[in-house]
Amino acid sequence: MIDENGEYASTNTTFVYSPKVQLDLIALTALLNSQLMNFVYKTAFSGLNLLGSFQFQAPQIRLLP
């Protein structure tokens, strides 16, 4: 989700900020929350499955296409 005012972040949160290239954060958020990215994540990181769910952490997110 996009948290422009910093109201919802917790201590265990992955952030995207100050991107190196110009991008639309709304489009990026939609892509990261899409069924396509869910499929890619499950395929690429199936070994990280914890009791039927995944932890989305920075090292894995950096590897996404």
Side-chain angles (χ1 to χ4, degrees):
M1 68 179 254
I2 296 176
D3 180 14
E4 292 179 347
N5 299 319
E7 297 172 356
Y8 301 103
S10 68
T11 56
N12 189 11
T13 303
T14 299
F15 295 93
V16 175
Y17 62 95
S18 300
K20 294 178 184 176
V21 295
Q22 184 67 25
L23 31 105
D24 181 353
L25 292 180
I26 293 174
L28 178 62
T29 301
L31 178 63
L32 290 173
N33 287 300
S34 71
Q35 290 296 320
L36 173 63
M37 198 55 66
N38 189 40
F39 171 77
V40 169
Y41 202 90
K42 282 182 180 179
T43 302
F45 305 113
S46 61
L48 299 178
N49 188 340
L50 300 172
L51 301 174
S53 65
F54 290 93
Q55 290 188 348
F56 293 86
Q57 297 177 335
Q60 291 78 30
I61 292 173
R62 284 187 190 107
L63 297 174
L64 294 174

